[in-house]
Amino acid sequence: MKPAPFDYVRAGHPDQALELLASAGDEAKLLAGGQSLIPMLNFRLARPALLIDIGRLGELSYISRQDGTLRIGATTRQAQLERSKLVSDGWPLLARAIGWVAHPQIRSVGTVGGSVAHADPAAELPVACSVLEARMTVAGRSGKREISADDFFVTHLTSAIEADEMLLEIAIPAAPDGAGQSFVEYSRRHGDFALGGAAVVMPLDAEGRCVGVRITLMTAAPVPWRARTAEKLLEGAAPELAVLSAAAEAAASEINPTGDIHGDSSYRKALARTLCLQALTEAAATATPPNATGMDQ
Ligand SMILES: Cc1cc2nc3c(=O)[nH]c(=O)nc-3n(C[C@H](O)[C@H](O)[C@H](O)COP(=O)(O)OP(=O)(O)OC[C@H]3O[C@@H](n4cnc5c(N)ncnc54)[C@H](O)[C@@H]3O)c2cc1C
């Protein structure tokens, strides 16, 4: 199928993209890497009258670190994130997540901002943003605003970005020192969208007990799902197998994933439990208490 007719403008500057958005409103769509939007146009699931191409806005293509926070411009290609030493050294969970996204050809064109704005609960970067408590900066007619990951992902393929707004930057704080980190997923073929997945950040206190563990499940709900009940269950507990298993059970019991031809709801629930336990176990194995890293001495 071919897309419905549309006009096309390549924005030369972020301000121009915002002006075009402000005048076209709901009629316009931003085009970044096109790896999700173009298939949607072809299937006529989206019929914008105007495409505003922001894919070559160099001003929004960067990866930097400021005060312990990773800052990623929205048009940064996914492949740049994958190759970044800053990311692999300081944000290992993000580095793990990006390796699971699609195929190299898609990552070389697809943007970080496009994946986050697309808000697919089966996508890796939204899950990483959720568990790492990222903050998204968006700009629109009334200026800039910052949105927490919890508020950003509203429902399936819907974010908190308004029709006249554009995502500018994703800011990702570093995980606490010594925190164990893990990102696991399962798909039938590498590069396919995952049938399930789990990401964990596990800080420990000086006695080696869990403090402020974060768990996000993938493909489990219409948004990346923070498993708060499981997180609470782990608070103050030593990360031993029985406790981790109970937490994985609690995480799976809070979700009601939608089934499809690739796996029904009960299969996906069981998969979520297994992957959550795998991620928790891996995070526990890599976590070190603060006194062991020398930070609190
Ligand atoms: C065969 C195939 C397999 C794939 N497998 C995976 C996978 O396993 N995991 C995964 O995560 N992804 C996968 N993808 C999707 C891919 O990662 C996309 O690149 C990504 O979802 C969208 O990024 P994009 O830059 O291409 O955005 P686009 O397709 O250009 O845009 C996507 C949406 O975001 C909006 N948008 C883009 N940029 C902005 C912005 N700055 N501000 C506001 N709105 C914006 C657009 O208007 C559009 O609605 C796959 C894609 C294909 C074609």
Side-chain angles (χ1 to χ4, degrees):
M1 227 160 129
K2 294 288 170 213
F6 57 83
D7 290 326
Y8 170 92
V9 181
R10 180 181 293 160
H13 190 274
D15 290 342
Q16 189 198 356
L18 286 172
E19 277 161 29
L20 286 162
L21 270 182
S23 50
D26 286 351
E27 296 294 302
K29 271 253 168 225
L30 295 172
L31 174 71
Q35 297 303 295
S36 295
L37 183 55
I38 297 294
M40 290 184 77
L41 297 183
N42 285 342
F43 285 114
R44 301 204 176 193
L45 294 171
R47 292 166 165 259
L50 173 66
L51 278 191
I52 305 166
D53 188 349
I54 56 166
R56 297 192 196 184
L57 290 179
E59 295 88 343
L60 298 182
S61 176
Y62 56 85
I63 301 175
S64 67
R65 180 176 50 199
Q66 263 176 354
D67 304 327
T69 294
L70 185 73
R71 299 193 171 273
I72 308 167
T75 63
T76 305
R77 303 287 161 186
Q78 294 161 6
Q80 286 171 258
L81 195 68
E82 189 180 12
R83 287 195 293 264
S84 165
K85 192 156 163 23
L86 195 57
V87 173
S88 55
D89 286 352
W91 283 262
L93 188 152
L94 187 59
R96 276 277 288 277
I98 191 68
W100 287 104
V101 175
H103 306 281
Q105 294 87 340
I106 290 163
R107 297 196 292 271
S108 72
V109 184
T111 64
V112 177
S115 177
V116 173
H118 192 52
D120 187 337
E124 288 78 5
L125 294 181
V127 169
C129 284
S130 162
V131 81
L132 292 170
E133 298 187 336
R135 298 191 67 80
M136 274 47 89
T137 302
V138 302
R141 225 188 298 234
S142 46
K144 288 186 189 175
R145 64 189 179 111
E146 218 185 50
I147 311 169
S148 69
D150 273 355
D151 293 333
F152 185 84
F153 300 107
V154 174
T155 187
H156 187 72
L157 303 188
T158 307
S159 77
I161 304 174
E162 299 290 345
D164 65 346
E165 288 182 322
M166 176 165 76
L167 176 61
L168 299 182
E169 185 182 87
I170 298 112
I172 309 185
D177 281 303
Q181 298 183 47
S182 177
F183 189 107
V184 298
E185 71 171 60
Y186 174 74
S187 57
R188 294 188 67 186
R189 296 174 306 185
H190 186 78
D192 283 0
F193 278 102
L195 295 179
V200 170
V201 174
M202 184 183 285
L204 300 179
D205 67 13
E207 278 75 47
R209 291 177 304 227
C210 294
V211 55
V213 172
R214 295 177 232 153
I215 305 168
T216 299
L217 300 181
M218 190 176 180
T219 329
V223 291
W225 182 259
R226 274 292 288 272
R228 307 269 182 199
T229 309
E231 290 177 359
K232 279 196 196 112
L233 203 145
L234 287 170
E235 195 63 20
E240 289 157 1
L241 184 58
V243 179
L244 302 182
S245 298
E249 188 67 48
S253 71
E254 333 180 288
I255 60 167
N256 191 16
T258 311
D260 61 18
I261 54 163
H262 303 294
D264 64 16
S265 183
S266 62
Y267 169 78
R268 285 170 185 269
K269 228 172 149 72
L271 185 61
R273 182 175 53 241
T274 302
L275 292 171
C276 187
L277 179 57
Q278 190 182 331
L280 285 166
T281 310
E282 197 177 288
T286 54
T288 33
N291 57 2
T293 60
M295 293 307 297
D296 280 0
Q297 288 175 351

